[in-house]
Amino acid sequence: MRRLTSDAGDAGPGRRAPRTGGGARLVAAGGTATLCAVTLTACGGASAADADGMTTVTVGVAGNIFDMPIRLADANGYFGKQKLKVKYVTTTAATGTSALQSGSIQFLNDSPTDFLSAVDRRVPETAIAADGGGNPLGLIVSTKFAKAHQLTAATPAAQVAKALDGSTGGSSSANTKGEASVYLKAYGVDPGKVKWVSLPSPAADKAALKSNQIDWFATSQPTPLAIQDTGDGVVVADSTKVKAWSEEQAGYGQVVVARNSYLSQHADVARKFATAVQQATAYMNANLDSATVQKVAAGALPGVSASVIKASLPQVEWPRSDAMKLSAWITTMTFINSLNALESGQAIVSSDNFTNRYLP
């Protein structure tokens, strides 16, 4: 893999440009072409156009706040204008890349950590849009811990960090543990002095917090604010207070990814998908408090109160343009390497790993 060489937003020199064909790839005349149109795995996982001229694609989403541009693109008709129908599959860090490579999904709304982990393993996939910036994390302490240390939502980040020195923290992923550690180090607190308790999920973190088995944990919004909303904890640090979690210092927060073989065979579909998602992020950038955005978020995050959704959405930096730059990827790479979350311990990204060619 080539190392960082330029600040170009496109695929860069030396990369074979994806072919720009429409619909399913024709492999032979007559009946074989028809078979190719309906057999996903035989033709790179693409969906053929329906009788109404619409093409159905499947996208992997995580069921969190970063899904909003894709959900909004659907609700506002941006996909429809591109003659696309979208189906959703909920994926995790463990399943997203494999689902993409198997062809069960055509696009994946992926975290940069998971994407760079795939790049590190030489998985043949490419980022085609960046639809969110920064890390919308919340660090929540138990009500008991907050009372003992006189912590509130307004307590300065430095004071909160010092209160966490020697405390018991929950960790349900190497990523969030690393992000919490970056925050602590920024204020002179040694993460090694924290008593870390490994838990299987944010839901398990929540249960341990409520029973006072741990003093705090960090995870993506809206979970921390939702816990605070029920009175079971206090969010004492978030991306608006912790500079290390901001887009400026952490880089990209979410990217749209597709496998290289799909992009080579279905560039037109990729262009339509990326165009619709960019329209949605631009709308969110300008209309975050609108009833439309709030309604879509409420539908995508069932059970989360309107006030929590309203407080969570601004913690992502929604871009006007989904175009990517190598300089921003370098920032992202540096941040992710600081988390020690990758198997190799060192991510390397180049202009071969992302492209803006599918954006308008």
Side-chain angles (χ1 to χ4, degrees):
M1 184 178 299
R2 294 183 303 163
R3 293 183 179 270
L4 307 172
T5 55
S6 72
D7 196 29
D10 211 316
R15 178 177 179 172
R16 182 180 296 174
R19 291 173 294 174
T20 55
R25 180 166 56 104
L26 299 180
V27 297
T32 306
T34 302
L35 177 63
C36 182
V38 297
T39 307
L40 303 187
T41 56
C43 301
S47 294
D50 299 331
D52 58 1
M54 304 290 284
T55 298
T56 300
V57 295
T58 304
V59 57
V61 293
N64 61 30
I65 196 170
F66 274 123
D67 297 344
M68 292 308 105
I70 292 175
R71 297 287 190 178
L72 184 68
D74 203 355
N76 266 15
Y78 302 144
F79 285 134
K81 289 177 182 177
Q82 297 293 331
K83 299 295 183 182
L84 295 179
K85 289 181 182 177
V86 177
K87 293 182 178 179
Y88 299 99
V89 171
T90 300
T91 58
T92 67
T95 64
T97 298
S98 59
L100 190 70
Q101 294 307 310
S102 72
S104 59
I105 60 176
Q106 285 77 59
F107 300 98
L108 175 64
N109 204 36
D110 204 8
S111 75
T113 303
D114 293 341
F115 172 64
L116 289 180
S117 177
V119 168
D120 189 49
R121 302 193 311 271
R122 298 182 182 271
V123 175
E125 61 183 40
T126 298
I128 63 171
D131 56 345
N135 283 271
L137 295 166
L139 190 151
I140 185 164
V141 300
S142 68
T143 52
K144 179 181 177 180
F145 189 86
K147 184 176 181 180
H149 294 270
Q150 299 182 323
L151 300 178
T152 70
T155 303
Q159 184 179 334
V160 171
K162 295 194 184 320
L164 300 180
D165 194 357
S167 63
T168 301
S171 170
S172 57
S173 76
N175 199 44
T176 51
K177 180 180 178 180
E179 288 164 335
S181 297
V182 165
Y183 159 55
L184 294 174
K185 288 177 184 177
Y187 292 99
V189 176
D190 182 2
K193 293 183 179 179
V194 171
K195 303 176 193 70
W196 295 100
V197 176
S198 295
L199 295 160
S201 67
D205 284 330
K206 176 183 176 180
L209 186 78
K210 190 172 182 178
S211 63
N212 293 309
Q213 293 177 334
I214 60 175
D215 297 319
W216 61 274
F217 74 96
T219 194
S220 294
Q221 300 290 10
T223 297
L225 285 172
I227 294 172
Q228 178 176 266
D229 197 46
T230 60
D232 293 324
V234 181
V235 177
V236 292
D238 60 26
S239 59
T240 65
K241 292 171 65 173
V242 181
K243 290 183 178 180
W245 296 344
S246 68
E247 182 178 26
E248 181 182 2
Q249 294 192 24
Y252 296 127
Q254 201 80 349
V255 291
V256 176
V257 179
R259 67 189 184 284
N260 294 348
S261 60
Y262 184 86
L263 293 174
S264 294
Q265 297 163 17
H266 305 286
D268 58 331
V269 178
R271 188 171 294 109
K272 291 174 181 178
F273 190 88
T275 295
V277 173
Q278 176 166 278
Q279 284 182 283
T281 52
Y283 185 93
M284 292 184 69
N285 177 279
N287 303 280
L288 197 58
D289 291 330
S290 70
T292 298
V293 172
Q294 300 298 316
K295 181 179 179 180
V296 171
L301 300 168
V304 180
S305 71
S307 61
V308 168
I309 289 173
K310 191 174 182 65
S312 298
L313 287 172
Q315 296 194 31
V316 177
E317 297 182 50
W318 307 106
R320 287 190 297 271
S321 168
D322 289 3
M324 295 167 285
K325 294 181 179 179
L326 189 57
S327 57
W329 270 114
I330 293 173
T331 299
T332 306
M333 178 190 67
T334 302
F335 177 77
I336 291 172
N337 284 339
S338 73
L339 306 181
N340 297 317
L342 301 186
E343 290 180 7
S344 70
Q346 190 74 14
I348 299 176
V349 68
S350 80
S351 54
D352 280 346
N353 306 126
F354 68 95
T355 181
N356 294 324
R357 71 179 66 219
Y358 303 104
L359 292 168

